[in-house]
Amino acid sequence: MADTDAPLLIKRYASRRLYNTETSDYVTLEDIAGFIRAGREVKIVDLKSGDDLTRQYLLQIIAEHESRGESVLPIGVLTDLVRSYTTQAQSVVPDFLAMSFEMLRDGQSKMVENMAAMNPMASMPGFEAMRAQQEAFMKAMTGGMSGQWSGPSAGEPEEESSSDELSEIKKQLAELQSKLSKL
């Protein structure tokens, strides 16, 4: 098994075909994007000259995704990036972008950890489907009885019942907001 800590070496032949040195087969840009999404570091080099082409190919992958409508980078950010190539801010922009993406990654991982901490069952495969089924089952089972118990009685006006329901919904919303603010 290959060491996944070492970058995956991809060699570009003179024919511009990309060769995965681990699996000894040719790969596409989409394959390389898949390796990166899976957490692998990738290094692409020209076979003949030995030049590192990684940056060029990563930019090409991003450009292809953006052109297919999978827009991640807003026009303003792209415009600012183009401007940064012609200003003295060149040295600051790469560091700023690297730190921003690092903060984004940290924030996302902390949010996922907090969600899992709130409900450890949420990480189980199929948990959401199971929860939805349970809700549907409970609705079906209590559907006939809920009309008898939660609806207004013969002497009770309709308005009181709806205001009670509204109060309950507001209470639940406040509880959810409290939980979210703790994240």
Side-chain angles (χ1 to χ4, degrees), residues 8-13 15-35 42-44 57 61:
L8 172 60
L9 182 62
I10 306 289
K11 294 182 179 179
R12 183 184 77 173
Y13 285 95
S15 64
R16 299 201 179 269
R17 291 192 72 186
L18 301 169
Y19 185 77
N20 181 342
T21 59
E22 277 185 11
T23 59
S24 301
D25 62 348
Y26 291 103
V27 293
T28 64
L29 286 178
E30 194 56 41
D31 294 330
I32 293 171
F35 299 143
V42 175
K43 183 174 183 177
I44 304 169
Y57 278 94
I61 290 169

Side-chain angles (χ1 to χ4, degrees), residues 49-68:
S49 68
D51 292 341
D52 188 347
L53 306 172
T54 308
R55 179 182 308 270
Q56 170 187 333
Y57 278 94
L58 293 178
L59 287 169
Q60 187 175 346
I61 290 169
I62 291 168
E64 285 189 11
H65 282 275
E66 289 285 323
S67 70
R68 288 193 302 234

Side-chain angles (χ1 to χ4, degrees), residues 13-160:
Y13 285 95
S15 64
R16 299 201 179 269
R17 291 192 72 186
L18 301 169
Y19 185 77
N20 181 342
T21 59
E22 277 185 11
T23 59
S24 301
D25 62 348
Y26 291 103
V27 293
T28 64
L29 286 178
E30 194 56 41
D31 294 330
I32 293 171
F35 299 143
I36 293 169
R37 283 186 207 102
R40 283 300 298 270
E41 293 294 320
V42 175
K43 183 174 183 177
I44 304 169
V45 297
D46 184 83
L47 181 67
K48 191 173 184 180
S49 68
D51 292 341
D52 188 347
L53 306 172
T54 308
R55 179 182 308 270
Q56 170 187 333
Y57 278 94
L58 293 178
L59 287 169
Q60 187 175 346
I61 290 169
I62 291 168
E64 285 189 11
H65 282 275
E66 289 285 323
S67 70
R68 288 193 302 234
E70 302 170 26
S71 299
V72 171
L73 300 170
I75 295 292
V77 171
L78 293 171
T79 303
D80 289 343
L81 280 172
V82 170
R83 282 188 190 117
S84 73
Y85 281 96
T86 60
T87 66
Q88 296 301 331
Q90 272 183 191
S91 61
V92 177
V93 173
D95 292 335
F96 174 76
L97 287 174
M99 288 188 324
S100 296
F101 274 100
E102 186 66 31
M103 286 179 7
L104 178 65
R105 264 195 309 271
D106 289 347
Q108 285 178 332
S109 63
K110 285 179 184 175
M111 188 174 76
V112 169
E113 288 171 15
N114 288 340
M115 293 299 282
M118 280 177 32
N119 187 357
M121 300 266 308
S123 62
M124 283 180 30
F127 174 75
E128 281 301 314
M130 183 176 69
R131 188 184 61 74
Q133 286 177 343
Q134 285 177 336
E135 284 180 13
F137 176 76
M138 290 304 290
K139 270 186 184 175
M141 292 302 292
T142 61
M145 292 187 286
S146 66
Q148 293 173 0
W149 292 339
S150 68
S153 61
E156 185 181 348
E158 179 76 33
E159 293 170 10
E160 273 186 42

